[in-house]
Amino acid sequence: MNTAEQYAATIDRLKAMYNPVNRAGMARYGINPQNALGIPMTVVRPLAKTLGGNQALSEMFWQSGIHEARLLATLVGVPAQVTQEQMERWVAGFDSWDICDQCCMNLFALTPYAWAKAFEWGRREPEFVKRAGFVLIACLAVKDKKAEDSRFEQYFDLISEGSTDSRNFVRKAVNWALRHIGKRNQSLNRKAVTLAWEIKKIDSSAARWIAGDAIRELTGDAVQSRLKKRAEGAK
């Protein structure tokens, strides 16, 4: 089966799974139901595994505009073949937090452009573009095991700047980025907590929420115990 046939067969399969009840409920979770079929990720992800990596197919799924097909696009895309032009084109089409997060986690964070795009997008105004910048930071903190601490410290000013954005999907992503950096190791934990205390002093309800939530988790017993064991294991 060639790529065009794979695309047609998969789209037909997705449409056959249309679930109007799930689709109607998507809005309650902040997901744009327009062009959606109401198919959960628990179905989309296994389907992607049967298709394998295919950059051409990924682009075709994205161009379809169908919500679940776009989720598939993030899963079958090939990071090494993703271009900056594609990233800019796709990020401009983000209309839900789940598309934003899945695309960053599954594909964009694995490209060589992720570090730079986090800076660029984190300073842009559109809500889901800005969210994508901070989601990339969070993803890099988890996925790039070999990155030096300094690569994450360079985002501290950006996190501080973004902390005053009161839009729900942005502030949650800023918080996510701060927490994930602080969970990498003991050194970054101390620095992230210090940054959080600085952010907490900003006259902004969003900043206070971001900082307070981060401080609670990063200084909590669960994180501290995990970081201590990780440090001892590295000796």
Side-chain angles (χ1 to χ4, degrees), residues 83-96:
T83 64
Q84 293 190 66
E85 181 277 330
Q86 177 192 335
M87 294 176 76
E88 290 294 340
R89 179 162 40 84
W90 282 28
V91 78
F94 288 174
D95 62 354
S96 286

Side-chain angles (χ1 to χ4, degrees), residues 142-153:
V142 173
K143 294 178 180 293
D144 198 332
K145 306 296 185 184
K146 297 181 180 180
E148 297 291 333
D149 288 1
S150 59
R151 300 204 74 179
F152 296 99
E153 291 171 37

Side-chain angles (χ1 to χ4, degrees), residues 175-193:
N175 171 265
W176 191 11
L178 178 57
R179 288 186 294 108
H180 275 46
I181 289 175
K183 289 189 282 188
R184 274 183 70 87
N185 57 52
Q186 289 178 315
S187 177
L188 278 176
N189 178 268
R190 289 190 292 269
K191 292 176 181 179
V193 170

Side-chain angles (χ1 to χ4, degrees), residues 120-130 165 167 170:
E120 293 176 29
W121 294 346
R123 288 195 166 101
R124 291 189 192 169
E125 185 59 25
E127 185 171 15
F128 291 112
V129 177
K130 193 169 186 177
D165 194 319
R167 290 175 294 180
V170 175

Side-chain angles (χ1 to χ4, degrees), residues 6-7 9-15 17 37 39-53 57 61 68-69 71-72 75-76:
Q6 276 188 308
Y7 170 77
T10 305
I11 293 297
D12 286 344
R13 187 173 177 181
L14 289 174
K15 289 180 177 179
M17 291 187 282
L37 298 171
I39 305 169
M41 279 301 293
T42 52
V43 174
V44 174
R45 195 172 293 277
L47 178 56
K49 289 183 179 180
T50 69
L51 298 170
L57 186 60
F61 284 146
E68 289 79 4
L71 290 173
L72 270 179
L75 291 162
V76 303

Side-chain angles (χ1 to χ4, degrees), residues 2 7 11 19 29 46 50 64 87 90 97 109 117 120 128 166 168 172 210 228:
N2 61 36
Y7 170 77
I11 293 297
N19 188 319
Y29 296 96
T50 69
S64 75
M87 294 176 76
W90 282 28
W97 64 264
K117 289 302 177 184
E120 293 176 29
F128 291 112
S166 61
N168 190 46
K172 286 187 174 181
I210 289 167
K228 183 179 179 180

